[in-house]
Amino acid sequence: MQSTTLILLLALLATAAFFFGRGRSLSLVGGPGHGPALHSLPGYYGYFVAIWCVLPALLLMSGWMLLESRVVTALVIAGLPESYQLMPEGQLNLLINNIQNLASGDVVSVAVDESMQAAATELNGYLTKSRQLLAAFALGLACLGGALAWRRIDRDFRARNRVEAVVRWLLIGASSIAVLTTIGIVLSVLFEAIRFFQKVPATEFLFGTTWSPQTAIRADQVGSSGSFGAIPLFAGTMLITSIAMVIAVPIGLMTAIYLAEYSTTRVRGIAKPLLEVLAGIPTVVYGFFAALTVAPWLRSTGDSVGIAVSSESALAAGLVMGIMIIPLVSSLSDDAINAVPSAMRDGALGLGSTRSETMTKVILPAALPGIVGGILLAVSRAIGETMIVVMAAGLAANLTANPFEAVTTVTVQIVTLLVGDQEFDSAKTLAAFALGLMLFVVTLCLNVLGISVVRKYREQYD
């Protein structure tokens, strides 16, 4: 039985258990008209039975799925000829992978012999039996749990307390998953970055001005040492981000002010959806626009006025990235401005302030924390952008402040270093994790800065 079918059956059992539990609670007090005689609402008794019907079965499924692959693989290995079992670990893992591909009908990388075919057939048999046993145990456990919960129901049973306790633990588990995932991401990047800094000094990485991570396989090849100075990457990232924010922040903020305070309802109803459409365009489309339209236009314009503009430039990438970020700044700023209490507007206007004075001296200071938070979020979005930079700014790690030259960013180099088959014990590949750690640190600093600004300028209004 497929997992999806089993989950649907459990959902049907849970639905039935809900109605059985609710019906039993009402029958104990003489019908729906005597519901107040129960300790909890009738629905809580139904939820209690449904939870104990489906929760143990789901826990069994989770544990079964975690152990199934290891147990089945061990059984398949035990059934192989002794010559296969004595293989080195790497070759044995490759053999098991080919057997699994053969069992699922995928392509294998070696010639298939009778032993492999028999092992694949045996693997499919084990998986079929495993799913049958899982379905039987899960459905049986669901029925048993629902029956026991149904028998516990009486008029004084505290069903609401039990249900809320289960919901509370589910919420704690969900939030813990988010926290643990974040910790896992940080630790995985940190450990690999530490391995990189064991091969390359941190001073060279942080303060070096040459980025050439291409390392040769043999020591006598050219470029066998590599250069891992990340200053050109940081400079390129900041240059493109600065250009993007120079475009996005003024236009986005002015657009938000106009739509929130000056535009008519009709204009706002037209302009707001158009901005949302602009925000929904994929970044690869912006990349095509930058590479095929903006970059050639900048180059031809520069040639006409005697300025040398590269076909791939930081200016082209920054301009298009700024256009992409405008809806983000505008939407968040608009929400912050609209969140200011209308009593403050009315009070300022009633005291004789003009609309511009009300905006600059009352509304904007009150909305400043939200606006700053939106701008910092936009900065993080610009720093993490990859596709536009690849297509419009290039891959050259040039240390320059000239926006007309080609540059690259940290995210682009991370993608470049991890593309294709890579060895994760070389400095070239580990450099991607060091760059990722730097991005994490920068994003963390931006968040800390945003929190400090919000705390400094936040005001409480009745």
Side-chain angles (χ1 to χ4, degrees), residues 286-287 289-291 294 315-325 388 392:
Y286 282 108
F289 175 67
V294 177
L315 183 59
L319 287 175
V320 177
M321 192 182 299
I323 295 173
M324 179 190 69
I325 296 175
I388 295 176

Side-chain angles (χ1 to χ4, degrees), residues 257 262 354-366:
I257 292 174
Y262 295 97
T354 63
R355 298 192 68 178
S356 60
E357 290 174 339
T358 302
M359 172 58 64
T360 56
K361 296 183 179 181
V362 177
I363 298 177
L364 283 182

Side-chain angles (χ1 to χ4, degrees), residues 66-216:
L66 290 175
L67 297 176
E68 180 185 59
S69 178
R70 296 182 180 181
V71 174
V72 171
T73 301
L75 292 174
V76 171
I77 293 175
L80 291 173
E82 187 177 356
S83 58
Y84 287 123
Q85 298 183 24
L86 297 177
M87 285 181 173
E89 183 179 357
Q91 296 182 11
L92 183 60
N93 291 335
L94 179 61
L95 175 64
I96 295 299
N97 185 57
N98 285 322
I99 292 174
Q100 292 173 347
N101 291 338
L102 181 62
S104 59
D106 294 335
V107 179
V108 297
S109 59
V110 296
V112 179
D113 55 16
E114 294 182 359
S115 300
M116 290 184 60
Q117 187 65 50
T121 304
E122 190 178 18
L123 176 62
N124 285 328
Y126 284 136
L127 289 176
T128 301
K129 293 179 181 178
S130 174
R131 297 304 167 87
Q132 292 174 350
L133 289 174
L134 173 60
F137 283 128
L139 294 176
L141 186 60
C143 294
L144 178 62
L148 293 177
W150 183 82
R151 289 178 59 87
R152 292 192 61 184
I153 294 177
D154 57 51
R155 60 191 305 165
D156 296 325
F157 182 72
R158 298 176 177 271
R160 178 177 61 84
N161 303 65
R162 302 297 180 88
V163 172
E164 291 181 350
V166 173
V167 172
R168 182 172 65 252
W169 281 107
L170 289 177
L171 294 176
I172 293 174
S175 59
S176 300
I177 289 174
V179 174
L180 293 176
T181 301
T182 303
I183 295 175
I185 292 173
V186 173
L187 292 180
S188 62
V189 173
L190 180 61
F191 290 153
E192 298 299 328
I194 291 174
R195 292 178 58 194
F196 169 77
F197 290 125
Q198 290 174 348
K199 298 176 180 292
V200 177
T203 54
E204 177 185 348
F205 176 77
L206 295 175
F207 304 107
T209 58
T210 303
W211 178 261
S212 179
Q214 303 299 327
T215 56

Side-chain angles (χ1 to χ4, degrees), residues 77-439:
I77 293 175
L80 291 173
E82 187 177 356
S83 58
Y84 287 123
Q85 298 183 24
L86 297 177
M87 285 181 173
E89 183 179 357
Q91 296 182 11
L92 183 60
N93 291 335
L94 179 61
L95 175 64
I96 295 299
N97 185 57
N98 285 322
I99 292 174
Q100 292 173 347
N101 291 338
L102 181 62
S104 59
D106 294 335
V107 179
V108 297
S109 59
V110 296
V112 179
D113 55 16
E114 294 182 359
S115 300
M116 290 184 60
Q117 187 65 50
T121 304
E122 190 178 18
L123 176 62
N124 285 328
Y126 284 136
L127 289 176
T128 301
K129 293 179 181 178
S130 174
R131 297 304 167 87
Q132 292 174 350
L133 289 174
L134 173 60
F137 283 128
L139 294 176
L141 186 60
C143 294
L144 178 62
L148 293 177
W150 183 82
R151 289 178 59 87
R152 292 192 61 184
I153 294 177
D154 57 51
R155 60 191 305 165
D156 296 325
F157 182 72
R158 298 176 177 271
R160 178 177 61 84
N161 303 65
R162 302 297 180 88
V163 172
E164 291 181 350
V166 173
V167 172
R168 182 172 65 252
W169 281 107
L170 289 177
L171 294 176
I172 293 174
S175 59
S176 300
I177 289 174
V179 174
L180 293 176
T181 301
T182 303
I183 295 175
I185 292 173
V186 173
L187 292 180
S188 62
V189 173
L190 180 61
F191 290 153
E192 298 299 328
I194 291 174
R195 292 178 58 194
F196 169 77
F197 290 125
Q198 290 174 348
K199 298 176 180 292
V200 177
T203 54
E204 177 185 348
F205 176 77
L206 295 175
F207 304 107
T209 58
T210 303
W211 178 261
S212 179
Q214 303 299 327
T215 56
I217 299 176
R218 300 192 310 272
D220 58 345
Q221 288 180 313
V222 177
S224 60
S225 59
S227 298
F228 296 93
I231 290 295
L233 308 185
F234 301 150
T237 301
M238 296 308 300
L239 178 61
I240 294 177
T241 302
S242 300
I243 296 173
M245 299 315 296
V246 167
I247 300 297
V249 172
I251 297 178
L253 185 56
M254 295 299 177
T255 302
I257 292 174
Y258 172 74
L259 292 178
E261 297 296 327
Y262 295 97
S263 67
T264 61
T265 304
R266 181 179 180 182
V267 173
R268 179 181 174 85
I270 297 174
K272 190 73 172 178
L274 290 178
L275 284 174
E276 299 299 333
V277 170
L278 191 64
I281 298 175
T283 57
V284 67
V285 177
Y286 282 108
F288 280 125
F289 175 67
L292 301 180
T293 303
V294 177
W297 177 77
L298 288 176
R299 185 176 183 181
S300 61
T301 303
D303 292 339
S304 64
V305 297
I307 300 176
V309 181
S310 176
S311 58
E312 295 178 331
S313 63
L315 183 59
L319 287 175
V320 177
M321 192 182 299
I323 295 173
M324 179 190 69
I325 296 175
I326 285 175
L328 180 61
V329 177
S330 174
S331 178
L332 295 176
S333 300
D334 182 62
D335 292 340
I337 292 173
N338 286 323
V340 176
S342 59
M344 298 186 62
R345 296 178 175 86
D346 298 339
L349 294 173
L351 291 174
S353 300
T354 63
R355 298 192 68 178
S356 60
E357 290 174 339
T358 302
M359 172 58 64
T360 56
K361 296 183 179 181
V362 177
I363 298 177
L364 283 182
L368 185 60
I371 294 174
V372 172
I375 292 175
L376 292 177
L377 183 61
V379 172
S380 300
R381 178 73 176 84
I383 291 176
E385 176 55 39
T386 304
M387 208 64 204
I388 295 176
V389 180
V390 171
M391 302 179 72
L395 302 175
N398 296 323
L399 180 57
T400 178
N402 187 355
F404 303 122
E405 295 185 6
V407 296
T408 190
T409 61
V410 172
T411 54
V412 171
Q413 288 301 308
I414 291 176
V415 173
T416 304
L417 293 171
L418 295 180
V419 167
D421 296 331
Q422 302 291 343
E423 295 182 358
F424 279 81
D425 58 351
S426 65
K428 174 185 175 182
T429 306
L430 295 175
F433 296 94
L435 294 174
L437 181 63
M438 294 304 301
L439 276 182

